[in-house]
Amino acid sequence: MLWLLASTCARGLGGRGGSRRLVSRGRARPVAGLCDPSRRLSRQASDAPRNQPPSPEFVARSVGICSMMRLPVQATPEGLDAAFVGVPLDIGTSNRPGARFGPRRIREESVLLRTTNPSTGAVPFQFLRVADLGDVNVNLYNLQDSCRLIQADYQKIVAAGCVPLTLGGDHTITYPILQAIAEKHGPVGLVHVDAHMDTADKALGEKLYHGTPFRRCVDEGLLDCKRVVQIGIRGSSTTLDTYRYSRSQGFRVVLAEDCWLKSLVPLMGEVRQQMGGRPIYISFDIDGLDPAYAPGTGTPEIAGLTPSQALEIIRGCQGLNVVGCDLVEVSPPYDPSGNTALVAANLLFEMLCVLPKVTVA
């Protein structure tokens, strides 16, 4: 019975699920408790009922497979509108490692999440068929090969018409993800929340690590540079003109100092106008937040954004043509409390709530 739990235990709702290790299908009965494994889904994914996280009113939070929001785990993106995907990679990290454990811990903390966002009126599972696609099988001994593996998996996800919401992993992973995204959508706009611009050219002679992804994206024409905004930038630097490269490319750079003690709703109004109706990608480095709220990260910088400002940024993307999102740089070893991963899980849910097909009440 337990092997069916993650994909079918929701009151009155059915689902289809599997993973790279286990593929199972089942349909829940409209009662609480464990499900009948003898009942199978025979209908196609297109007309199957939408997946829904099980309610804690009927299924205890400590019960079930550890998937994002306890959603079904599915082997392929076919039939999905959106999917959570883990990329457990941290060999591009320049300081404190541990982000390879980020996806797992984010999933653990996501058990607290529910299905509805009463603050915004979003009920994403009424409009989207969502599942957890598990993790990309990265090569922890070869960063270049890992990027190849990530790009290949995301090409399949994007080709299936599924919007990926990524659990990182260090920020290197955004580069191969955007390679796959741009292959379908062309150069995309970018809402990038971070303490760092990640536009360095190289370090220790290497042109690929978590400080270079957006430089590589510019090199390959993956970004619509006039529609890139970087929010929360701060910290010490090796030069006084540290923002020069981003601004020379046409990026809008919003320093953390310009965000202190204020609402970011007006800023996001300007960002929405800048982005227009063309495809955009959201990349959120958890170190964009002040380490008082998110200490579990590899390169913390003081005086960052607050969680409420993070919500304003993501909710400010409502109505935009969001074609992918990621939440990166959660390093659980540096936050035994799990609070950083809890914040990350909530921000990923907020990203799900602003996807284009989700109608806000």
Side-chain angles (χ1 to χ4, degrees):
M1 289 270 190
L2 293 180
W3 60 279
L4 282 171
L5 201 54
S7 58
T8 62
C9 283
R11 188 171 184 261
L13 294 167
R16 186 178 77 172
S19 75
R20 290 173 176 80
R21 296 162 299 282
L22 173 67
V23 178
S24 60
R25 297 190 180 189
R27 186 176 181 181
R29 294 180 293 179
V31 294
L34 296 179
C35 309
D36 184 352
S38 66
R39 304 188 68 179
R40 303 293 187 206
L41 273 180
S42 58
R43 68 183 78 186
Q44 296 297 315
S46 60
D47 61 357
R50 291 185 177 89
N51 301 326
Q52 181 127 330
S55 169
E57 296 179 66
F58 306 104
V59 181
R61 285 195 169 99
S62 57
V63 173
I65 295 171
C66 186
S67 65
M68 186 66 182
M69 296 184 70
R70 297 192 294 171
L71 283 163
V73 180
Q74 187 164 309
T76 69
E78 277 69 34
L80 298 178
D81 299 300
F84 294 103
V85 188
V87 185
L89 182 75
D90 64 1
I91 60 174
T93 304
S94 60
N95 189 38
R96 306 191 305 195
R100 70 181 65 182
F101 304 114
R104 185 172 299 178
R105 190 59 191 267
I106 292 169
R107 287 183 173 109
E108 289 175 359
E109 297 299 334
S110 75
V111 70
L112 190 61
L113 295 171
R114 304 167 186 87
T115 60
T116 303
N117 192 333
S119 296
T120 66
V123 189
F125 299 101
Q126 286 188 3
F127 300 95
L128 302 173
R129 184 164 171 81
V130 190
D132 188 327
L133 290 180
D135 293 333
V136 175
N137 185 22
V138 296
N139 182 347
L140 292 178
Y141 308 116
N142 188 318
L143 189 55
Q144 294 279 358
D145 189 47
S146 287
C147 287
R148 179 189 62 81
L149 293 168
I150 295 165
Q151 181 185 5
D153 271 15
Y154 277 77
Q155 284 172 330
K156 297 173 186 176
I157 294 168
V158 174
C162 176
V163 177
L165 298 103
T166 301
L167 292 64
D170 73 55
H171 221 152
T172 313
I173 69 174
T174 304
Y175 165 55
I177 293 172
L178 283 175
Q179 286 179 315
I181 293 281
E183 187 175 314
K184 177 173 182 178
H185 298 284
V188 295
L190 176 69
V191 176
H192 171 210
V193 183
D194 205 323
H196 315 95
M197 290 177 292
D198 294 350
T199 54
D201 187 33
K202 59 185 177 180
L204 303 178
E206 297 296 325
K207 296 177 76 68
L208 186 60
Y209 77 107
H210 75 162
T212 65
F214 300 113
R215 184 77 163 242
R216 302 287 80 84
C217 288
V218 171
D219 290 345
E220 296 184 18
L222 309 180
L223 298 176
D224 180 356
C225 294
K226 300 300 181 184
R227 295 192 305 122
V228 174
V229 59
Q230 299 181 298
I231 306 172
I233 307 301
R234 63 191 189 277
S236 57
S237 177
T238 57
T239 65
L240 286 176
D241 62 348
T242 185
Y243 317 123
R244 182 178 60 84
Y245 176 81
S246 285
R247 288 173 171 161
S248 72
Q249 300 303 314
F251 297 3
R252 178 175 183 178
V253 179
V254 182
L255 304 182
E257 292 93 321
D258 298 325
C259 301
W260 290 346
L261 305 176
K262 66 175 67 172
S263 168
L264 300 187
V265 170
L267 168 66
M268 292 310 297
E270 297 173 4
V271 170
R272 281 198 302 276
Q273 289 186 347
Q274 178 184 359
M275 297 298 165
R278 288 174 290 168
I280 75 158
Y281 187 86
I282 301 173
S283 186
F284 199 115
D285 187 324
I286 201 68
D287 72 26
L289 299 185
D290 191 276
Y293 306 106
T297 190
T299 317
E301 304 281 0
I302 67 166
L305 304 178
T306 67
S308 59
Q309 289 175 317
L311 294 184
E312 289 178 326
I313 293 169
I314 297 173
R315 292 174 182 179
C317 294
Q318 179 71 46
L320 296 179
N321 186 11
V322 179
V323 296
C325 312
D326 64 51
L327 191 296
V328 298
E329 298 285 356
V330 172
S331 183
Y334 294 96
D335 184 8
S337 73
N339 191 59
T340 306
L342 176 63
V343 173
N346 276 272
L347 296 183
L348 283 158
F349 173 66
E350 294 283 341
M351 292 175 188
L352 179 69
C353 289
V354 301
L355 294 188
K357 290 185 179 180
V358 178
T359 300
V360 177

